[in-house]
Amino acid sequence: DDDGGGKQQQQAHALLLRSHKLQPDEIDVPVRAIARCGAGTNNIPVAKCTELGIPVFNTPGANANAVKELILCGLLLGSRRIVDGINHMTSLGRQGLARERVEKDKALFGGREVRGKVLAVIGLGHIGASTARDATHLGMTVQGYDPGLSGQTAVE
């Protein structure tokens, strides 16, 4: 509802957050539940919510696949020097030299294949475990470390 002054009245029954740091005075009486889109609840005053009888939820792993894909993308971009090659060809294009140099210069940016390389993964939660699994499918050797996991759980 609009309060007449152009501001929305805070009448929400549920709050859904991502990175906003919720302050206790932002929690109005009608709020019945608070959820965080992502792992953790460090941006929600859980103690205050508990006092008010408001349950707090989170969604661990909800964005794990997207993050894993960005990690693997960065790994491939870096190992194959793709960004360097793009920047080089852009520069040559501005100089009018791209057409004549493309075949000669592409050898400068071949990079290295990831197959056979070792990837160290620190933290084997949703993102780390998924990244490790997909890295093995790319032929990489994976070494993982997570002090919160037993050896058996890490293998699984």
Side-chain angles (χ1 to χ4, degrees):
D1 295 323
D2 191 308
D3 68 0
K7 294 183 182 178
Q8 288 250 291
Q9 291 180 359
Q10 303 298 321
Q11 299 288 330
H13 290 106
L15 300 178
L16 188 59
L17 310 167
R18 174 120 181 123
S19 56
H20 173 73
K21 185 155 180 66
L22 188 65
Q23 301 301 317
D25 63 344
E26 294 177 294
I27 304 169
D28 290 327
V29 175
V31 173
R32 296 183 186 144
I34 299 174
R36 162 107 198 284
C37 300
T41 55
N42 60 328
N43 59 331
I44 299 171
V46 176
K48 177 69 173 175
C49 293
T50 301
E51 277 178 35
L52 297 171
I54 300 170
V56 175
F57 305 92
N58 66 353
T59 58
N63 64 345
N65 189 64
V67 173
K68 175 215 44 187
E69 288 178 359
L70 289 171
I71 292 167
L72 294 174
C73 179
L75 179 74
L76 295 169
L77 285 170
S79 69
R80 302 302 294 195
R81 298 191 58 208
I82 292 170
V83 175
D84 292 337
I86 290 169
N87 290 338
H88 179 72
M89 290 308 299
T90 300
S91 174
L92 290 177
R94 287 189 190 116
Q95 300 170 46
L97 301 173
R99 199 172 283 211
E100 65 191 69
R101 298 264 303 271
V102 67
E103 287 301 318
K104 178 183 173 201
D105 288 8
K106 72 180 179 182
L108 298 171
F109 303 100
R112 298 178 185 261
E113 293 184 9
V114 297
R115 178 176 293 284
K117 300 297 186 281
V118 177
L119 177 67
V121 179
I122 310 298
L124 296 169
H126 292 288
I127 296 167
S130 181
T131 300
R133 208 172 11 260
D134 283 8
T136 62
H137 293 303
L138 291 172
M140 299 185 80
T141 299
V142 176
Q143 294 180 354
Y145 173 75
D146 190 325
L149 292 180
S150 67
Q152 181 60 36
T153 303
V155 170
E156 293 170 1

